[in-house]
Amino acid sequence: MPNGKPAGVRCVQLADDNRCLIFGQPARPAFCGGLQPSEEMCGDSREYAVHWLGELERLTAPV
C-alpha cells in the first residue's frame, strides 16, 4: 500500500489467516517492523490481541 494503510482498511499483505505475506522481507514497511508486541497489546490470547488492534484502528480512523 504505497500511500499507507488507512484505518479500517485491511492490509493487502495479510493472508486469509492474518499472517503477513511479506514478514521478514525488505519490502515490509518500516512501520510494520517497528510495531513491537507488548503485554498490553497481546494480552493472554489471540482474540485479545485482535480486539486491541481493532480498537487501535477505530481510534485512529479519520473522522
Side-chain angles (χ1 to χ4, degrees):
M1 303 181 91
N3 297 316
K5 187 195 81 57
V9 174
R10 184 174 169 82
C11 177
V12 298
Q13 298 299 343
L14 284 179
D16 290 339
D17 64 359
N18 290 325
R19 293 182 188 260
C20 178
L21 297 171
I22 57 173
F23 184 84
Q25 296 181 22
R28 187 174 182 218
F31 173 81
C32 296
L35 182 62
Q36 296 299 310
S38 67
E39 187 174 340
E40 175 189 17
M41 177 172 70
C42 297
D44 60 0
S45 68
R46 180 181 185 283
E47 291 75 22
Y48 180 92
V50 169
H51 176 75
W52 192 92
L53 289 170
E55 280 297 298
L56 185 60
E57 285 275 321
R58 185 183 68 75
L59 293 170
T60 59
V63 251

